Amino acid sequence: YLTKPFSHAELQLWVTNLMQSREELHQRYAKPNLPSKPEKVASLDLAMEDAFIKKVIALIEKNSGNPDYSVTLIAEEVHLSSSQLHRKVSAVTGKSPIQILRLYRLNKAKELLANPELSISQVAYQAGFNDPSYFTRTFTKVFNQKPSEFRENQ
């Protein structure tokens, strides 16, 4: 316990002792360095992760036109909770499952925009978006141009 007013020397000594005790605790309870995985095991892990991501993307492709298809449904189909799915997909790809779903839908919309017979709203609905204005905002944010501008530049 330090009495007020604090003297600079006492306060500095108290902080130094606190930092030393925390460092000792860290060294005592830190995990030891584990040996790295053998190459075969590491490559097998990558192959399993790759197969998992391929399965997730296949599910997205299969249901991309369904605007009600969500990360929750993907998680159910791969037999994981939504949070586990998020952790696993983010660790492997660096993107969340919703980002992957949205990017897939936006790329599908880019393909559909090549057809001049479809309106922007029809493209949005066929790509799996419920709201054409949300589709336009998202498309503009990701590709830095509006869907109509993208269609003109094609």
PDB file of all heavy atoms in Angstrom, residues 104-138:
ATOM      1  N   TYR A 104     -18.809 -13.940 -53.420  1.00  0.00           N
ATOM      2  CA  TYR A 104     -19.277 -14.877 -54.431  1.00  0.00           C
ATOM      3  C   TYR A 104     -20.501 -14.311 -55.148  1.00  0.00           C
ATOM      4  O   TYR A 104     -20.597 -14.358 -56.379  1.00  0.00           O
ATOM      5  CB  TYR A 104     -19.604 -16.242 -53.813  1.00  0.00           C
ATOM      6  CG  TYR A 104     -19.992 -17.238 -54.871  1.00  0.00           C
ATOM      7  CD1 TYR A 104     -19.021 -17.938 -55.564  1.00  0.00           C
ATOM      8  CD2 TYR A 104     -21.321 -17.420 -55.229  1.00  0.00           C
ATOM      9  CE1 TYR A 104     -19.362 -18.825 -56.564  1.00  0.00           C
ATOM     10  CE2 TYR A 104     -21.675 -18.300 -56.234  1.00  0.00           C
ATOM     11  CZ  TYR A 104     -20.697 -18.996 -56.896  1.00  0.00           C
ATOM     12  OH  TYR A 104     -21.038 -19.858 -57.892  1.00  0.00           O
ATOM     13  N   ARG A 105     -21.436 -13.770 -54.380  1.00  0.00           N
ATOM     14  CA  ARG A 105     -22.642 -13.188 -54.980  1.00  0.00           C
ATOM     15  C   ARG A 105     -22.307 -11.996 -55.860  1.00  0.00           C
ATOM     16  O   ARG A 105     -22.892 -11.818 -56.934  1.00  0.00           O
ATOM     17  CB  ARG A 105     -23.623 -12.781 -53.880  1.00  0.00           C
ATOM     18  CG  ARG A 105     -24.303 -13.957 -53.228  1.00  0.00           C
ATOM     19  CD  ARG A 105     -25.214 -13.539 -52.112  1.00  0.00           C
ATOM     20  NE  ARG A 105     -25.969 -14.681 -51.624  1.00  0.00           N
ATOM     21  CZ  ARG A 105     -26.655 -14.691 -50.504  1.00  0.00           C
ATOM     22  NH1 ARG A 105     -26.687 -13.618 -49.738  1.00  0.00           N
ATOM     23  NH2 ARG A 105     -27.321 -15.766 -50.134  1.00  0.00           N
ATOM     24  N   LEU A 106     -21.353 -11.173 -55.423  1.00  0.00           N
ATOM     25  CA  LEU A 106     -20.968 -10.011 -56.231  1.00  0.00           C
ATOM     26  C   LEU A 106     -20.286 -10.441 -57.536  1.00  0.00           C
ATOM     27  O   LEU A 106     -20.526  -9.838 -58.592  1.00  0.00           O
ATOM     28  CB  LEU A 106     -20.061  -9.082 -55.425  1.00  0.00           C
ATOM     29  CG  LEU A 106     -20.752  -8.300 -54.317  1.00  0.00           C
ATOM     30  CD1 LEU A 106     -19.726  -7.589 -53.439  1.00  0.00           C
ATOM     31  CD2 LEU A 106     -21.746  -7.303 -54.892  1.00  0.00           C
ATOM     32  N   ASN A 107     -19.459 -11.457 -57.465  1.00  0.00           N
ATOM     33  CA  ASN A 107     -18.820 -11.946 -58.691  1.00  0.00           C
ATOM     34  C   ASN A 107     -19.839 -12.573 -59.640  1.00  0.00           C
ATOM     35  O   ASN A 107     -19.731 -12.442 -60.859  1.00  0.00           O
ATOM     36  CB  ASN A 107     -17.694 -12.924 -58.357  1.00  0.00           C
ATOM     37  CG  ASN A 107     -16.470 -12.211 -57.839  1.00  0.00           C
ATOM     38  OD1 ASN A 107     -16.123 -11.132 -58.294  1.00  0.00           O
ATOM     39  ND2 ASN A 107     -15.823 -12.803 -56.866  1.00  0.00           N
ATOM     40  N   LYS A 108     -20.833 -13.244 -59.072  1.00  0.00           N
ATOM     41  CA  LYS A 108     -21.907 -13.781 -59.907  1.00  0.00           C
ATOM     42  C   LYS A 108     -22.679 -12.630 -60.561  1.00  0.00           C
ATOM     43  O   LYS A 108     -23.052 -12.708 -61.734  1.00  0.00           O
ATOM     44  CB  LYS A 108     -22.846 -14.644 -59.066  1.00  0.00           C
ATOM     45  CG  LYS A 108     -23.941 -15.291 -59.878  1.00  0.00           C
ATOM     46  CD  LYS A 108     -24.795 -16.209 -59.034  1.00  0.00           C
ATOM     47  CE  LYS A 108     -25.902 -16.811 -59.898  1.00  0.00           C
ATOM     48  NZ  LYS A 108     -26.786 -17.673 -59.111  1.00  0.00           N
ATOM     49  N   ALA A 109     -22.883 -11.568 -59.805  1.00  0.00           N
ATOM     50  CA  ALA A 109     -23.572 -10.397 -60.352  1.00  0.00           C
ATOM     51  C   ALA A 109     -22.771  -9.774 -61.498  1.00  0.00           C
ATOM     52  O   ALA A 109     -23.357  -9.320 -62.490  1.00  0.00           O
ATOM     53  CB  ALA A 109     -23.809  -9.366 -59.253  1.00  0.00           C
ATOM     54  N   LYS A 110     -21.443  -9.762 -61.384  1.00  0.00           N
ATOM     55  CA  LYS A 110     -20.612  -9.244 -62.468  1.00  0.00           C
ATOM     56  C   LYS A 110     -20.841 -10.040 -63.747  1.00  0.00           C
ATOM     57  O   LYS A 110     -20.931  -9.462 -64.831  1.00  0.00           O
ATOM     58  CB  LYS A 110     -19.130  -9.289 -62.077  1.00  0.00           C
ATOM     59  CG  LYS A 110     -18.696  -8.162 -61.179  1.00  0.00           C
ATOM     60  CD  LYS A 110     -17.276  -8.341 -60.697  1.00  0.00           C
ATOM     61  CE  LYS A 110     -16.260  -8.037 -61.742  1.00  0.00           C
ATOM     62  NZ  LYS A 110     -14.872  -8.044 -61.202  1.00  0.00           N
ATOM     63  N   GLU A 111     -20.962 -11.362 -63.603  1.00  0.00           N
ATOM     64  CA  GLU A 111     -21.230 -12.196 -64.777  1.00  0.00           C
ATOM     65  C   GLU A 111     -22.610 -11.894 -65.358  1.00  0.00           C
ATOM     66  O   GLU A 111     -22.781 -11.825 -66.580  1.00  0.00           O
ATOM     67  CB  GLU A 111     -21.151 -13.675 -64.398  1.00  0.00           C
ATOM     68  CG  GLU A 111     -19.771 -14.144 -64.026  1.00  0.00           C
ATOM     69  CD  GLU A 111     -19.760 -15.570 -63.486  1.00  0.00           C
ATOM     70  OE1 GLU A 111     -20.796 -16.263 -63.589  1.00  0.00           O
ATOM     71  OE2 GLU A 111     -18.715 -15.980 -62.953  1.00  0.00           O
ATOM     72  N   LEU A 112     -23.588 -11.721 -64.468  1.00  0.00           N
ATOM     73  CA  LEU A 112     -24.954 -11.447 -64.927  1.00  0.00           C
ATOM     74  C   LEU A 112     -25.088 -10.063 -65.568  1.00  0.00           C
ATOM     75  O   LEU A 112     -25.947  -9.855 -66.425  1.00  0.00           O
ATOM     76  CB  LEU A 112     -25.938 -11.575 -63.759  1.00  0.00           C
ATOM     77  CG  LEU A 112     -26.119 -12.979 -63.183  1.00  0.00           C
ATOM     78  CD1 LEU A 112     -26.938 -12.930 -61.905  1.00  0.00           C
ATOM     79  CD2 LEU A 112     -26.779 -13.885 -64.213  1.00  0.00           C
ATOM     80  N   LEU A 113     -24.244  -9.127 -65.161  1.00  0.00           N
ATOM     81  CA  LEU A 113     -24.305  -7.777 -65.733  1.00  0.00           C
ATOM     82  C   LEU A 113     -23.902  -7.766 -67.206  1.00  0.00           C
ATOM     83  O   LEU A 113     -24.194  -6.805 -67.918  1.00  0.00           O
ATOM     84  CB  LEU A 113     -23.429  -6.814 -64.933  1.00  0.00           C
ATOM     85  CG  LEU A 113     -23.995  -6.380 -63.585  1.00  0.00           C
ATOM     86  CD1 LEU A 113     -22.941  -5.639 -62.777  1.00  0.00           C
ATOM     87  CD2 LEU A 113     -25.235  -5.517 -63.777  1.00  0.00           C
ATOM     88  N   ALA A 114     -23.258  -8.807 -67.663  1.00  0.00           N
ATOM     89  CA  ALA A 114     -22.891  -8.897 -69.084  1.00  0.00           C
ATOM     90  C   ALA A 114     -24.121  -9.053 -69.961  1.00  0.00           C
ATOM     91  O   ALA A 114     -24.082  -8.738 -71.154  1.00  0.00           O
ATOM     92  CB  ALA A 114     -21.931 -10.061 -69.299  1.00  0.00           C
ATOM     93  N   ASN A 115     -25.229  -9.517 -69.385  1.00  0.00           N
ATOM     94  CA  ASN A 115     -26.476  -9.684 -70.134  1.00  0.00           C
ATOM     95  C   ASN A 115     -27.261  -8.362 -70.084  1.00  0.00           C
ATOM     96  O   ASN A 115     -27.814  -8.008 -69.047  1.00  0.00           O
ATOM     97  CB  ASN A 115     -27.299 -10.815 -69.520  1.00  0.00           C
ATOM     98  CG  ASN A 115     -28.571 -11.094 -70.274  1.00  0.00           C
ATOM     99  OD1 ASN A 115     -28.912 -10.404 -71.234  1.00  0.00           O
ATOM    100  ND2 ASN A 115     -29.293 -12.113 -69.840  1.00  0.00           N
ATOM    101  N   PRO A 116     -27.338  -7.621 -71.203  1.00  0.00           N
ATOM    102  CA  PRO A 116     -28.014  -6.323 -71.198  1.00  0.00           C
ATOM    103  C   PRO A 116     -29.535  -6.423 -71.061  1.00  0.00           C
ATOM    104  O   PRO A 116     -30.198  -5.422 -70.777  1.00  0.00           O
ATOM    105  CB  PRO A 116     -27.621  -5.707 -72.542  1.00  0.00           C
ATOM    106  CG  PRO A 116     -27.252  -6.860 -73.400  1.00  0.00           C
ATOM    107  CD  PRO A 116     -26.752  -7.941 -72.495  1.00  0.00           C
ATOM    108  N   GLU A 117     -30.092  -7.613 -71.231  1.00  0.00           N
ATOM    109  CA  GLU A 117     -31.538  -7.782 -71.114  1.00  0.00           C
ATOM    110  C   GLU A 117     -32.006  -7.743 -69.662  1.00  0.00           C
ATOM    111  O   GLU A 117     -33.187  -7.493 -69.400  1.00  0.00           O
ATOM    112  CB  GLU A 117     -31.965  -9.096 -71.777  1.00  0.00           C
ATOM    113  CG  GLU A 117     -31.728  -9.125 -73.271  1.00  0.00           C
ATOM    114  CD  GLU A 117     -32.068 -10.478 -73.872  1.00  0.00           C
ATOM    115  OE1 GLU A 117     -32.604 -11.341 -73.151  1.00  0.00           O
ATOM    116  OE2 GLU A 117     -31.787 -10.661 -75.067  1.00  0.00           O
ATOM    117  N   LEU A 118     -31.093  -8.000 -68.720  1.00  0.00           N
ATOM    118  CA  LEU A 118     -31.451  -7.992 -67.298  1.00  0.00           C
ATOM    119  C   LEU A 118     -31.272  -6.601 -66.717  1.00  0.00           C
ATOM    120  O   LEU A 118     -30.261  -5.941 -66.958  1.00  0.00           O
ATOM    121  CB  LEU A 118     -30.574  -8.974 -66.518  1.00  0.00           C
ATOM    122  CG  LEU A 118     -30.711 -10.453 -66.830  1.00  0.00           C
ATOM    123  CD1 LEU A 118     -29.675 -11.246 -66.049  1.00  0.00           C
ATOM    124  CD2 LEU A 118     -32.112 -10.941 -66.489  1.00  0.00           C
ATOM    125  N   SER A 119     -32.259  -6.148 -65.949  1.00  0.00           N
ATOM    126  CA  SER A 119     -32.104  -4.881 -65.243  1.00  0.00           C
ATOM    127  C   SER A 119     -31.178  -5.082 -64.046  1.00  0.00           C
ATOM    128  O   SER A 119     -30.898  -6.215 -63.650  1.00  0.00           O
ATOM    129  CB  SER A 119     -33.463  -4.370 -64.769  1.00  0.00           C
ATOM    130  OG  SER A 119     -33.958  -5.194 -63.730  1.00  0.00           O
ATOM    131  N   ILE A 120     -30.732  -3.988 -63.464  1.00  0.00           N
ATOM    132  CA  ILE A 120     -29.850  -4.059 -62.302  1.00  0.00           C
ATOM    133  C   ILE A 120     -30.575  -4.771 -61.152  1.00  0.00           C
ATOM    134  O   ILE A 120     -29.988  -5.585 -60.438  1.00  0.00           O
ATOM    135  CB  ILE A 120     -29.378  -2.654 -61.868  1.00  0.00           C
ATOM    136  CG1 ILE A 120     -28.636  -1.942 -63.009  1.00  0.00           C
ATOM    137  CG2 ILE A 120     -28.507  -2.725 -60.623  1.00  0.00           C
ATOM    138  CD1 ILE A 120     -27.364  -2.591 -63.462  1.00  0.00           C
ATOM    139  N   SER A 121     -31.854  -4.503 -60.994  1.00  0.00           N
ATOM    140  CA  SER A 121     -32.633  -5.163 -59.939  1.00  0.00           C
ATOM    141  C   SER A 121     -32.721  -6.661 -60.172  1.00  0.00           C
ATOM    142  O   SER A 121     -32.590  -7.459 -59.230  1.00  0.00           O
ATOM    143  CB  SER A 121     -34.045  -4.583 -59.861  1.00  0.00           C
ATOM    144  OG  SER A 121     -34.000  -3.238 -59.481  1.00  0.00           O
ATOM    145  N   GLN A 122     -32.955  -7.066 -61.414  1.00  0.00           N
ATOM    146  CA  GLN A 122     -33.015  -8.493 -61.724  1.00  0.00           C
ATOM    147  C   GLN A 122     -31.675  -9.170 -61.449  1.00  0.00           C
ATOM    148  O   GLN A 122     -31.634 -10.290 -60.928  1.00  0.00           O
ATOM    149  CB  GLN A 122     -33.423  -8.703 -63.177  1.00  0.00           C
ATOM    150  CG  GLN A 122     -34.863  -8.357 -63.459  1.00  0.00           C
ATOM    151  CD  GLN A 122     -35.180  -8.395 -64.953  1.00  0.00           C
ATOM    152  OE1 GLN A 122     -34.346  -8.049 -65.789  1.00  0.00           O
ATOM    153  NE2 GLN A 122     -36.407  -8.815 -65.274  1.00  0.00           N
ATOM    154  N   VAL A 123     -30.586  -8.487 -61.785  1.00  0.00           N
ATOM    155  CA  VAL A 123     -29.252  -9.018 -61.506  1.00  0.00           C
ATOM    156  C   VAL A 123     -29.083  -9.201 -60.001  1.00  0.00           C
ATOM    157  O   VAL A 123     -28.590 -10.236 -59.534  1.00  0.00           O
ATOM    158  CB  VAL A 123     -28.152  -8.094 -62.078  1.00  0.00           C
ATOM    159  CG1 VAL A 123     -26.780  -8.463 -61.535  1.00  0.00           C
ATOM    160  CG2 VAL A 123     -28.150  -8.130 -63.600  1.00  0.00           C
ATOM    161  N   ALA A 124     -29.505  -8.204 -59.230  1.00  0.00           N
ATOM    162  CA  ALA A 124     -29.372  -8.272 -57.773  1.00  0.00           C
ATOM    163  C   ALA A 124     -30.128  -9.477 -57.214  1.00  0.00           C
ATOM    164  O   ALA A 124     -29.586 -10.245 -56.412  1.00  0.00           O
ATOM    165  CB  ALA A 124     -29.874  -6.981 -57.137  1.00  0.00           C
ATOM    166  N   TYR A 125     -31.375  -9.653 -57.652  1.00  0.00           N
ATOM    167  CA  TYR A 125     -32.178 -10.765 -57.153  1.00  0.00           C
ATOM    168  C   TYR A 125     -31.606 -12.119 -57.585  1.00  0.00           C
ATOM    169  O   TYR A 125     -31.551 -13.052 -56.783  1.00  0.00           O
ATOM    170  CB  TYR A 125     -33.633 -10.636 -57.606  1.00  0.00           C
ATOM    171  CG  TYR A 125     -34.355  -9.483 -56.942  1.00  0.00           C
ATOM    172  CD1 TYR A 125     -34.994  -8.514 -57.712  1.00  0.00           C
ATOM    173  CD2 TYR A 125     -34.411  -9.364 -55.562  1.00  0.00           C
ATOM    174  CE1 TYR A 125     -35.659  -7.459 -57.117  1.00  0.00           C
ATOM    175  CE2 TYR A 125     -35.072  -8.313 -54.958  1.00  0.00           C
ATOM    176  CZ  TYR A 125     -35.701  -7.360 -55.735  1.00  0.00           C
ATOM    177  OH  TYR A 125     -36.352  -6.313 -55.134  1.00  0.00           O
ATOM    178  N   GLN A 126     -31.167 -12.226 -58.824  1.00  0.00           N
ATOM    179  CA  GLN A 126     -30.611 -13.495 -59.304  1.00  0.00           C
ATOM    180  C   GLN A 126     -29.278 -13.832 -58.642  1.00  0.00           C
ATOM    181  O   GLN A 126     -28.915 -14.999 -58.518  1.00  0.00           O
ATOM    182  CB  GLN A 126     -30.458 -13.478 -60.822  1.00  0.00           C
ATOM    183  CG  GLN A 126     -31.776 -13.593 -61.540  1.00  0.00           C
ATOM    184  CD  GLN A 126     -31.597 -13.686 -63.058  1.00  0.00           C
ATOM    185  OE1 GLN A 126     -30.504 -13.929 -63.554  1.00  0.00           O
ATOM    186  NE2 GLN A 126     -32.696 -13.489 -63.773  1.00  0.00           N
ATOM    187  N   ALA A 127     -28.543 -12.800 -58.219  1.00  0.00           N
ATOM    188  CA  ALA A 127     -27.263 -13.032 -57.547  1.00  0.00           C
ATOM    189  C   ALA A 127     -27.452 -13.393 -56.071  1.00  0.00           C
ATOM    190  O   ALA A 127     -26.498 -13.801 -55.408  1.00  0.00           O
ATOM    191  CB  ALA A 127     -26.374 -11.800 -57.677  1.00  0.00           C
ATOM    192  N   GLY A 128     -28.682 -13.227 -55.564  1.00  0.00           N
ATOM    193  CA  GLY A 128     -28.947 -13.627 -54.187  1.00  0.00           C
ATOM    194  C   GLY A 128     -29.106 -12.482 -53.211  1.00  0.00           C
ATOM    195  O   GLY A 128     -29.081 -12.696 -52.004  1.00  0.00           O
ATOM    196  N   PHE A 129     -29.283 -11.269 -53.705  1.00  0.00           N
ATOM    197  CA  PHE A 129     -29.496 -10.121 -52.831  1.00  0.00           C
ATOM    198  C   PHE A 129     -30.994  -9.844 -52.709  1.00  0.00           C
ATOM    199  O   PHE A 129     -31.718  -9.913 -53.700  1.00  0.00           O
ATOM    200  CB  PHE A 129     -28.785  -8.876 -53.383  1.00  0.00           C
ATOM    201  CG  PHE A 129     -27.291  -8.947 -53.272  1.00  0.00           C
ATOM    202  CD1 PHE A 129     -26.528  -9.492 -54.284  1.00  0.00           C
ATOM    203  CD2 PHE A 129     -26.642  -8.467 -52.147  1.00  0.00           C
ATOM    204  CE1 PHE A 129     -25.149  -9.568 -54.187  1.00  0.00           C
ATOM    205  CE2 PHE A 129     -25.263  -8.534 -52.035  1.00  0.00           C
ATOM    206  CZ  PHE A 129     -24.519  -9.081 -53.058  1.00  0.00           C
ATOM    207  N   ASN A 130     -31.447  -9.518 -51.504  1.00  0.00           N
ATOM    208  CA  ASN A 130     -32.854  -9.192 -51.269  1.00  0.00           C
ATOM    209  C   ASN A 130     -33.202  -7.769 -51.679  1.00  0.00           C
ATOM    210  O   ASN A 130     -34.341  -7.479 -52.024  1.00  0.00           O
ATOM    211  CB  ASN A 130     -33.200  -9.338 -49.782  1.00  0.00           C
ATOM    212  CG  ASN A 130     -33.485 -10.754 -49.393  1.00  0.00           C
ATOM    213  OD1 ASN A 130     -33.926 -11.551 -50.206  1.00  0.00           O
ATOM    214  ND2 ASN A 130     -33.219 -11.066 -48.143  1.00  0.00           N
ATOM    215  N   ASP A 131     -32.224  -6.886 -51.594  1.00  0.00           N
ATOM    216  CA  ASP A 131     -32.464  -5.460 -51.764  1.00  0.00           C
ATOM    217  C   ASP A 131     -31.538  -4.900 -52.854  1.00  0.00           C
ATOM    218  O   ASP A 131     -30.319  -4.890 -52.684  1.00  0.00           O
ATOM    219  CB  ASP A 131     -32.203  -4.763 -50.429  1.00  0.00           C
ATOM    220  CG  ASP A 131     -32.486  -3.279 -50.437  1.00  0.00           C
ATOM    221  OD1 ASP A 131     -33.022  -2.776 -51.437  1.00  0.00           O
ATOM    222  OD2 ASP A 131     -32.163  -2.612 -49.436  1.00  0.00           O
ATOM    223  N   PRO A 132     -32.097  -4.413 -53.963  1.00  0.00           N
ATOM    224  CA  PRO A 132     -31.251  -3.876 -55.035  1.00  0.00           C
ATOM    225  C   PRO A 132     -30.405  -2.674 -54.604  1.00  0.00           C
ATOM    226  O   PRO A 132     -29.279  -2.515 -55.083  1.00  0.00           O
ATOM    227  CB  PRO A 132     -32.249  -3.472 -56.121  1.00  0.00           C
ATOM    228  CG  PRO A 132     -33.446  -4.306 -55.861  1.00  0.00           C
ATOM    229  CD  PRO A 132     -33.495  -4.498 -54.376  1.00  0.00           C
ATOM    230  N   SER A 133     -30.911  -1.854 -53.696  1.00  0.00           N
ATOM    231  CA  SER A 133     -30.115  -0.704 -53.264  1.00  0.00           C
ATOM    232  C   SER A 133     -28.916  -1.153 -52.420  1.00  0.00           C
ATOM    233  O   SER A 133     -27.822  -0.599 -52.529  1.00  0.00           O
ATOM    234  CB  SER A 133     -30.966   0.307 -52.502  1.00  0.00           C
ATOM    235  OG  SER A 133     -31.490  -0.265 -51.335  1.00  0.00           O
ATOM    236  N   TYR A 134     -29.115  -2.170 -51.584  1.00  0.00           N
ATOM    237  CA  TYR A 134     -27.993  -2.727 -50.821  1.00  0.00           C
ATOM    238  C   TYR A 134     -26.976  -3.352 -51.786  1.00  0.00           C
ATOM    239  O   TYR A 134     -25.766  -3.202 -51.615  1.00  0.00           O
ATOM    240  CB  TYR A 134     -28.480  -3.776 -49.820  1.00  0.00           C
ATOM    241  CG  TYR A 134     -27.360  -4.521 -49.148  1.00  0.00           C
ATOM    242  CD1 TYR A 134     -26.563  -3.901 -48.198  1.00  0.00           C
ATOM    243  CD2 TYR A 134     -27.083  -5.847 -49.485  1.00  0.00           C
ATOM    244  CE1 TYR A 134     -25.522  -4.573 -47.593  1.00  0.00           C
ATOM    245  CE2 TYR A 134     -26.044  -6.528 -48.891  1.00  0.00           C
ATOM    246  CZ  TYR A 134     -25.268  -5.891 -47.935  1.00  0.00           C
ATOM    247  OH  TYR A 134     -24.233  -6.568 -47.346  1.00  0.00           O
ATOM    248  N   PHE A 135     -27.476  -4.043 -52.811  1.00  0.00           N
ATOM    249  CA  PHE A 135     -26.599  -4.628 -53.820  1.00  0.00           C
ATOM    250  C   PHE A 135     -25.749  -3.535 -54.473  1.00  0.00           C
ATOM    251  O   PHE A 135     -24.531  -3.678 -54.613  1.00  0.00           O
ATOM    252  CB  PHE A 135     -27.424  -5.367 -54.876  1.00  0.00           C
ATOM    253  CG  PHE A 135     -26.668  -5.624 -56.155  1.00  0.00           C
ATOM    254  CD1 PHE A 135     -25.638  -6.550 -56.201  1.00  0.00           C
ATOM    255  CD2 PHE A 135     -26.987  -4.922 -57.312  1.00  0.00           C
ATOM    256  CE1 PHE A 135     -24.935  -6.780 -57.373  1.00  0.00           C
ATOM    257  CE2 PHE A 135     -26.288  -5.147 -58.480  1.00  0.00           C
ATOM    258  CZ  PHE A 135     -25.263  -6.070 -58.514  1.00  0.00           C
ATOM    259  N   THR A 136     -26.389  -2.432 -54.855  1.00  0.00           N
ATOM    260  CA  THR A 136     -25.667  -1.342 -55.520  1.00  0.00           C
ATOM    261  C   THR A 136     -24.602  -0.749 -54.593  1.00  0.00           C
ATOM    262  O   THR A 136     -23.474  -0.514 -55.014  1.00  0.00           O
ATOM    263  CB  THR A 136     -26.650  -0.255 -55.990  1.00  0.00           C
ATOM    264  OG1 THR A 136     -27.596  -0.854 -56.880  1.00  0.00           O
ATOM    265  CG2 THR A 136     -25.938   0.880 -56.699  1.00  0.00           C
ATOM    266  N   ARG A 137     -24.971  -0.512 -53.334  1.00  0.00           N
ATOM    267  CA  ARG A 137     -23.999   0.043 -52.364  1.00  0.00           C
ATOM    268  C   ARG A 137     -22.814  -0.899 -52.181  1.00  0.00           C
ATOM    269  O   ARG A 137     -21.657  -0.469 -52.185  1.00  0.00           O
ATOM    270  CB  ARG A 137     -24.664   0.288 -51.010  1.00  0.00           C
ATOM    271  CG  ARG A 137     -25.533   1.502 -50.939  1.00  0.00           C
ATOM    272  CD  ARG A 137     -25.896   1.863 -49.500  1.00  0.00           C
ATOM    273  NE  ARG A 137     -26.331   0.742 -48.684  1.00  0.00           N
ATOM    274  CZ  ARG A 137     -27.592   0.326 -48.561  1.00  0.00           C
ATOM    275  NH1 ARG A 137     -28.550   0.946 -49.220  1.00  0.00           N
ATOM    276  NH2 ARG A 137     -27.896  -0.696 -47.780  1.00  0.00           N
ATOM    277  N   THR A 138     -23.107  -2.179 -52.014  1.00  0.00           N
ATOM    278  CA  THR A 138     -22.046  -3.164 -51.786  1.00  0.00           C
ATOM    279  C   THR A 138     -21.168  -3.317 -53.025  1.00  0.00           C
ATOM    280  O   THR A 138     -19.939  -3.361 -52.922  1.00  0.00           O
ATOM    281  CB  THR A 138     -22.655  -4.525 -51.405  1.00  0.00           C
ATOM    282  OG1 THR A 138     -23.555  -4.339 -50.313  1.00  0.00           O
ATOM    283  CG2 THR A 138     -21.596  -5.520 -51.010  1.00  0.00           C
TER     284      THR A 138
END
